[in-house]
Amino acid sequence: MLFSTLFLLTGLSAAAVQVDGITLAHEKKIKNVDLSSAKVDSTRIIRGHMMKEIPASIEVVKQAIINFDEKCNNEFKNRRKHTDKTKDCKYSNKNLVESVIVKKTNYSGPKEPNEVERYVVTRYIYNRGAFAQNDLMVVFEYQNAAKEKVFEIKQYMLSDDESKKYLDNPVKRESAFKEAYGHFVVTAKGPSKTLFEYEYIGKTDHWFLNKDVMIGQVYDSVALGIADLFYSVETEAGTKTASN
């Protein structure tokens, strides 16, 4: 099964989290995002995690998560090559130029248990340079042990070889991270009450990002991205009216 051993997690909300058998040290909280990391040889592992109950239905929260093309930095309009340069994205993502959602892919393999959909989001990023990546989104829906409805997305940054299994002419990956994983879990706690939990894990061996003096900036970037995600979901759900 694709990526079945990429990350070995003890659970989204566990106090001590392990990635590939490495225990990450909890270090700080920024914008209500819990951040931790570990460094092994030339690779640094970074994790960001946030969880919040949102006063909206699971369907509303779900829709607010999957509108990936509505999240970008409008100051980068002129850098867009694949989407409308005049369009204003509704929600801010500091480093994101544009996202292209590709629903029809070449994948013909088996489904995972409870999988309902998989597709690719090609992202174009600018952060002191131009970057691009293909993210696989594997979507699940099921009931948990408490008979609550759960919507889940596992997001993986694809390698160039993996991208070719899904797309005819995939963009070449250019990223400071060699592996990246996002995990969205949305649980219905009532007709108008939904628990939203998100986890991000990235691995980098980039010489500059691996400098000890850079970890603070990496933490800030991860925290801002996750905080922006939650803000966009809350706003789309109608529970926020102004930026944090």
Side-chain angles (χ1 to χ4, degrees), residues 146-188:
K147 303 297 182 183
E148 297 167 325
K149 185 175 182 179
V150 179
F151 169 75
E152 182 177 358
I153 297 178
K154 295 180 181 180
Q155 173 185 340
Y156 309 93
M157 181 174 67
L158 296 171
S159 68
D160 289 337
D161 286 342
E162 290 160 345
S163 292
K164 292 175 184 177
K165 298 176 183 178
Y166 286 85
L167 305 173
D168 289 330
N169 297 296
V171 63
K172 181 177 174 58
R173 186 177 77 178
E174 297 286 348
S175 175
F177 286 82
K178 61 180 183 178
E179 295 176 9
Y181 170 76
H183 192 184
F184 306 76
V185 180
V186 181
T187 305

Side-chain angles (χ1 to χ4, degrees), residues 25-169:
H26 181 271
E27 295 191 354
K28 61 168 52 180
K29 178 176 285 193
I30 301 174
K31 293 181 177 288
N32 292 318
V33 177
D34 287 309
L35 299 153
S36 54
S37 69
K39 189 175 181 182
V40 181
D41 298 326
S42 61
T43 297
R44 185 180 294 278
I45 305 168
I46 300 103
R47 177 185 187 252
H49 172 260
M50 188 172 178
M51 179 169 58
K52 190 169 186 179
E53 191 172 272
I54 297 174
S57 72
I58 187 172
E59 293 302 327
V60 168
V61 175
K62 169 185 173 181
Q63 188 59 40
I65 291 171
I66 63 176
N67 61 349
F68 298 111
D69 56 341
E70 292 286 351
K71 303 176 178 81
C72 77
N73 186 339
N74 287 315
E75 294 181 3
F76 294 154
K77 284 182 179 181
N78 289 335
R79 293 185 176 274
R80 297 177 190 168
K81 296 180 179 180
H82 305 278
T83 56
D84 186 354
K85 290 186 177 182
T86 66
K87 175 183 175 181
D88 282 325
C89 286
K90 292 174 67 175
Y91 303 110
S92 173
N93 185 305
K94 181 180 179 181
N95 299 320
L96 192 56
V97 176
E98 59 186 337
S99 294
V100 180
I101 300 172
V102 184
K103 290 283 188 172
K104 293 183 178 180
T105 72
N106 298 328
Y107 180 76
S108 59
K111 289 185 176 183
E112 297 184 39
N114 301 312
E115 178 186 335
V116 296
E117 186 180 21
R118 67 172 59 201
Y119 56 94
V120 174
V121 178
T122 300
R123 302 179 192 277
Y124 296 87
I125 299 159
Y126 187 81
N127 185 7
R128 301 177 183 173
F131 303 91
Q133 64 191 61
N134 295 304
D135 289 343
L136 175 65
M137 321 297 289
V138 186
V139 183
F140 306 84
E141 290 191 24
Y142 56 90
Q143 282 193 336
N144 61 18
K147 303 297 182 183
E148 297 167 325
K149 185 175 182 179
V150 179
F151 169 75
E152 182 177 358
I153 297 178
K154 295 180 181 180
Q155 173 185 340
Y156 309 93
M157 181 174 67
L158 296 171
S159 68
D160 289 337
D161 286 342
E162 290 160 345
S163 292
K164 292 175 184 177
K165 298 176 183 178
Y166 286 85
L167 305 173
D168 289 330
N169 297 296

Side-chain angles (χ1 to χ4, degrees), residues 93 220-230:
N93 185 305
D220 286 343
S221 179
V222 171
L224 178 61
I226 295 176
D228 281 348
L229 166 64
F230 273 75

